Amino acid sequence: MKNIAVYPGSFDPLTNGHIDLVERGLKLFDKVVIVAMHNRAKNPLFTVEERLDMIRDCFKGVDSVEVDAFDGLVVDYARKRNASAILRGMRAVSDFENEFQMAMFNRRLNRDVQTVFLMTGMRWIFTSSSGIKEVASFGGDVSGMVPPTIEKKLKEKFHQEYSR
């Protein structure tokens, strides 16, 4: 039986920080399932289908990574996938309170699924999807913070919005 971790997030868009976390998660787990979640509190730039395509493109050929979408409780998805853990990244102390609360809710709902926190690599500590979207929306340079294919999609998306 494989040791599986579920890595949930909006991934709007996927960043190099997310990729780094998956790569490090693969040192702890046999498989990481990246799950693009629908977050009712956020207004995504990319559709779920666009996000899934971009994530799949970034992990093409990596058999130990799966990409999926889900709208519901992460802990329910983890149970459905027979995952032993929910993988979460933390950039700073400000992430801790919210992540800790979610981990406690998930533990209450299913004690068999552990939450594993990995600190974001120092190189990516300032990187966030929302920050990248803001910079890209003004035509700023996000190269090096996202994979080239995602940088291209950001440029396409914002060019479309400016042309309206």
Side-chain angles (χ1 to χ4, degrees), residues 58-92:
C58 291
F59 288 97
K60 192 178 349 182
V62 183
D63 295 335
S64 52
V65 172
E66 281 186 37
V67 180
D68 201 359
F70 190 70
D71 185 13
L73 295 173
V74 173
V75 74
D76 289 343
Y77 182 84
R79 181 179 342 179
K80 177 178 123 179
R81 292 303 307 261
N82 294 316
S84 60
I86 296 169
L87 183 61
R88 299 296 296 161
M90 298 225 293
R91 291 177 302 226

Side-chain angles (χ1 to χ4, degrees), residues 22 35 43 56 61 101 155:
V22 170
V35 186
N43 184 21
R56 284 184 184 114
Q101 186 177 18
K155 286 178 181 177

Side-chain angles (χ1 to χ4, degrees), residues 43-61:
N43 184 21
L45 176 64
F46 294 101
T47 67
V48 171
E49 293 76 21
E50 288 173 319
R51 287 181 271 154
L52 292 174
D53 288 344
M54 289 187 291
I55 298 166
R56 284 184 184 114
D57 185 61
C58 291
F59 288 97
K60 192 178 349 182

